[in-house]
Amino acid sequence: MAVREHNFWLTTVTMPATDSARPLPENVDVAVIGAGFTGLSAARTLAKRGATVAVLEAETIGWGASSRNGGMVLTGLKLGVNQLIAMYGRERTQRMYAASVASMDCVEQLVREENIDCAFSRCGHLEVACKQKHFDGYARQVEVIAREFNHQLRIVSRNELQTEIGSSIYYGGMVDEVSAGLNPARYVAGLARGTAKAGATIFEQTRVHNIERETRQGALGWRVTTSRGILHASDVFAGTSGYTGAATPALRKKIIPIGSYIITTEVLPEALARELSPRNRMIYDSKNYLYYFRLTPDNRMLFGGRAAFFPETADSIRESAEILRLGMIDVYPQLREVNVEYVWGGTLDFAFDIMPHAGQMDGIYYAVGYAGHGVAMATWQGRQMAELIAGEKPENPFVDIPFPGAPLGLYNGKPWFLPFAGAWYKFLDWVS
Ligand SMILES: Cc1cc2nc3c(=O)[nH]c(=O)nc-3n(C[C@H](O)[C@H](O)[C@H](O)COP(=O)(O)OP(=O)(O)OC[C@H]3O[C@@H](n4cnc5c(N)ncnc54)[C@H](O)[C@@H]3O)c2cc1C
């Protein structure tokens, strides 16, 4: 059977309909750019506080990474804890880690409040070690995380690993029971419904081209020019992640867009599915150039990785199907004869320091930089930033930390250096 170049998750959902004939309002309190987890979570929170909100989405609801991801709702940040402490000190790192754990509760609460049927489950995550020295590092991490953040992880030795994963290639693992899994397309659809119910209006096929400062009726605000006309807003919030473009040029220079690709197999027999992932964990490995994988709620193996670099094209998606299938068989030889049914790609947003960032740039509010850890963090950042825009004082340790750009400033938003970065990460995986 031919592999379909299509996002499997979209076959499981009906996205909410919006009224394409509805004209843009002339004025709003807040214009939100992007209808993914970040933008929708912010818009819902603002609307619940009585603000008038227009969500401006260039494509369709959830079109970006939010409908395309692995659905892993993960604790922790992309960087290791020792590195974080070295960069930000203990106190701020503790707050960052607490935010990552709070972001899990934020998703769970939202799913419950909006009654979103997205197979949310606290199934835990498993990191597997590709090398003995990666496994040796786990003991230190578990100890530091318990001591500094009062958060318990569990080491799984190589001998016990079969209780967690039906693969014999890894040197051991580390489990966090707090992490969760969900169907991201159903989650973003439910979030969009909740956002509309709260009173925000979502405009699809509405690309923001330009944002300019203006003074109107004596008040400072923004003139937002879109593909559907002009709108005036007191505040603008960008939740554009890896798709950040020319409308916010300063932000665009800080974001490296990186393609990530996923395959899903046909539906597996129950016994095989249980053999591959006995506890239904969200799994990823310890490499820089990592694989992440899980069972879908209907028992397909979903297997993802950075098989190729941005820009993602029809060709790179097609090539990824076979590259990822070979990677999947290395992990699970049991899947050699199993059909791959879907392949798709999407764009992640990496900051140069691989950290989430939020705040104001040139007066425009933003939250970006999730580095593949965005399902929970984007939802949380949207809510926290909305509270900030509403004049509250929410906890947010990612606001106003240094936000580095490219070395020597040699970056105009077109990531010419990505092939070199890809080669560098592969090299690091080889030597480290
Ligand atoms: C293949 C893949 C797998 C992933 N797996 C995981 C995972 O398992 N766990 C995890 O935690 N994270 C994962 N991530 C990351 C996670 O999906 C993202 O961090 C998260 O979805 C970001 O949400 P967002 O709302 O900020 O951005 P997005 O969902 O990308 O939305 C941004 C939106 O902005 C719109 N936009 C951009 N510019 C404009 C404009 N000028 N005008 C109007 N609209 C505009 C875009 O059309 C887009 O819809 C993965 C990402 C990918 C691509």
Side-chain angles (χ1 to χ4, degrees):
M1 186 180 145
V3 182
R4 278 186 72 189
E5 286 155 35
H6 184 70
N7 174 356
F8 159 73
W9 295 121
L10 291 180
T11 68
T12 67
V13 68
T14 307
M15 286 290 175
T18 57
D19 180 0
S20 58
R22 185 177 183 144
L24 284 184
E26 198 183 327
N27 291 297
V28 287
D29 293 323
V30 187
V32 171
I33 316 175
F37 301 144
T38 305
L40 292 170
S41 171
R44 173 179 178 270
T45 306
L46 283 160
K48 278 178 176 270
R49 280 160 174 68
T52 52
V53 185
V55 181
L56 309 169
E57 167 54 56
E59 304 284 344
T60 50
I61 289 167
W63 175 89
S66 295
S67 66
R68 308 173 192 222
N69 60 72
M72 303 188 177
V73 192
L74 302 171
T75 56
L77 297 161
K78 188 78 185 162
L79 294 182
V81 284
N82 288 327
Q83 200 174 348
L84 289 169
I85 292 172
M87 285 164 77
Y88 301 108
R90 286 180 64 198
E91 193 269 341
R92 191 177 284 263
T93 304
Q94 281 169 342
R95 288 170 52 211
M96 288 175 171
Y97 202 88
S100 94
V101 176
S103 71
M104 313 289 306
D105 297 337
C106 174
V107 172
E108 184 165 31
Q109 187 188 349
L110 213 152
V111 167
R112 207 176 321 112
E113 279 175 12
E114 300 296 349
N115 205 6
I116 305 176
D117 180 12
C118 62
F120 179 89
S121 147
R122 290 269 189 170
C123 50
H125 85 243
L126 167 72
E127 179 177 331
V128 279
C130 297
K131 294 185 177 180
Q132 182 61 43
K133 69 174 162 189
H134 296 177
F135 180 70
D136 295 342
Y138 288 170
R140 276 195 306 281
Q141 274 190 59
V142 168
E143 191 257 315
V144 174
I145 289 171
R147 189 184 65 229
E148 300 289 340
F149 313 133
N150 194 22
H151 186 77
Q152 308 304 323
L153 305 180
R154 185 166 55 81
I155 301 269
V156 186
S157 70
R158 193 168 194 172
N159 295 339
E160 304 164 295
L161 202 56
Q162 290 292 318
T163 61
E164 290 286 344
I165 181 171
S167 170
S168 55
I169 68 167
Y170 297 111
Y171 290 78
M174 185 166 59
V175 168
D176 188 334
E177 301 282 355
V178 175
S179 291
L182 52 64
N183 172 330
R186 284 180 168 229
Y187 174 53
V188 76
L191 182 52
R193 285 193 185 91
T195 302
K197 198 174 77 192
T201 313
I202 303 170
F203 295 90
E204 298 180 286
Q205 307 295 348
T206 306
R207 180 172 292 280
V208 173
H209 290 307
N210 194 24
I211 310 165
E212 287 165 291
R213 267 288 183 211
E214 66 172 3
T215 306
R216 262 187 126 218
Q217 288 146 6
L220 193 61
W222 299 96
R223 177 187 161 94
V224 181
T225 307
T226 80
S227 54
R228 282 177 58 183
I230 287 168
L231 168 132
H232 305 274
S234 305
D235 287 300
V236 175
F237 175 68
T240 45
S241 191
Y243 300 91
T244 301
T248 48
L251 191 59
R252 183 192 197 182
K253 282 190 177 181
K254 303 271 189 176
I255 298 295
I256 313 169
I258 291 189
S260 186
Y261 300 84
I262 294 181
I263 53 173
T264 52
T265 65
E266 62 191 302
V267 174
L268 304 174
E270 178 67 25
L272 178 56
R274 292 287 74 79
E275 178 192 327
L276 301 178
S277 182
R279 296 175 199 236
N280 211 2
R281 303 281 194 211
M282 304 291 116
I283 307 174
Y284 56 86
D285 72 32
S286 59
K287 296 194 301 295
N288 287 310
Y289 215 72
L290 56 78
Y291 290 134
Y292 51 94
F293 44 101
R294 59 169 289 185
L295 295 169
T296 59
D298 66 347
N299 275 346
R300 297 163 190 272
M301 175 51 63
L302 177 153
F303 196 88
R306 280 175 210 131
F309 269 102
F310 195 80
E312 131 213 8
T313 61
D315 282 347
S316 68
I317 291 175
R318 206 167 307 123
E319 286 160 15
S320 298
E322 187 54 13
I323 296 171
L324 286 173
R325 194 184 73 85
L326 293 174
M328 178 178 75
I329 291 169
D330 281 346
V331 177
Y332 290 124
Q334 306 91 311
L335 295 178
R336 184 173 297 280
E337 303 304 327
V338 164
N339 288 319
V340 170
E341 289 195 346
Y342 295 90
V343 59
W344 69 96
T347 305
L348 305 168
D349 58 336
F350 274 66
F352 283 86
D353 58 359
I354 320 187
M355 284 297 292
H357 291 274
Q360 262 180 303
M361 198 177 288
D362 296 342
I364 296 170
Y365 290 96
Y366 67 89
V368 292
Y370 307 115
H373 254 59
V375 175
M377 189 52 80
T379 309
W380 185 86
Q381 278 292 7
R383 186 185 74 186
Q384 303 304 97
M385 289 306 291
E387 289 177 4
L388 187 74
I389 296 168
E392 298 166 30
K393 288 194 168 55
E395 162 66 355
N396 198 334
F398 305 100
V399 167
D400 295 336
I401 55 173
F403 194 168
L408 308 175
L410 291 173
Y411 180 37
N412 61 2
K414 289 200 173 58
W416 51 267
F417 46 80
L418 274 186
F420 306 105
W424 174 243
Y425 272 123
K426 279 187 175 155
F427 174 72
L428 283 183
D429 283 334
W430 183 57
V431 293
S432 63

